[in-house]
Amino acid sequence: VPWCLSLPSVLWSIKKSCVYVLGGIVDETVKKGLTEGKARDVGIDTARLPVKECMRMVTVNPGHVSLPFNQVLDVMQAVYGGEDWGTALASHIPRRKGFAPRQQPLIPWQ
């Protein structure tokens, strides 16, 4: 499951039986949609972390909203270890990115 902030599909659970490929690094700076397109071409599902659903923008001039590999990995490890998405994202996304936790996550099934 490659990750990219602009993907429409949201990764709500991390499963032991899945292999997760962190991608999307070039999508913001080189060519948008490259990772998603390549994954789709070979039949791999894609998803993004629920940043928009669990965090809110708190600055008028946000920094670059893409996350480095280590932050994405830290968030995924925290969720896999039992943390909820909001806590994991708030713990591993630096405040300088302009995000703060939502009081109530925007979860589609609630």
Side-chain angles (χ1 to χ4, degrees):
V1 179
W3 175 84
C4 179
L5 193 59
S6 62
L7 292 172
S9 180
V10 179
L11 179 67
W12 284 111
S13 61
I14 297 177
K15 300 173 185 159
K16 245 184 190 179
S17 61
C18 286
V19 173
Y20 296 88
V21 178
L22 304 183
I25 293 170
V26 299
D27 287 11
E28 294 297 318
T29 57
V30 179
K31 186 175 179 186
K32 286 192 178 286
L34 183 64
T35 302
E36 182 183 13
K38 292 242 184 227
R40 188 178 45 245
D41 290 347
V42 295
I44 297 173
D45 291 334
T46 58
R48 63 175 173 79
L49 301 184
V51 175
K52 297 173 187 174
E53 291 76 10
C54 296
M55 305 291 282
R56 60 186 171 84
M57 190 61 68
V58 294
T59 181
V60 226
N61 298 316
H64 193 61
V65 293
S66 66
L67 302 176
F69 176 84
N70 62 308
Q71 289 173 2
V72 174
L73 185 60
D74 289 344
V75 169
M76 290 182 72
Q77 286 177 322
V79 171
Y80 184 75
E83 283 186 26
D84 63 86
W85 281 106
T87 303
L89 289 163
S91 298
H92 298 289
I93 296 179
R95 299 279 298 176
R96 71 178 178 276
K97 294 283 186 178
F99 288 101
R102 289 186 184 274
Q103 293 291 337
Q104 184 68 33
L106 304 173
I107 301 175
W109 58 83
Q110 285 187 336

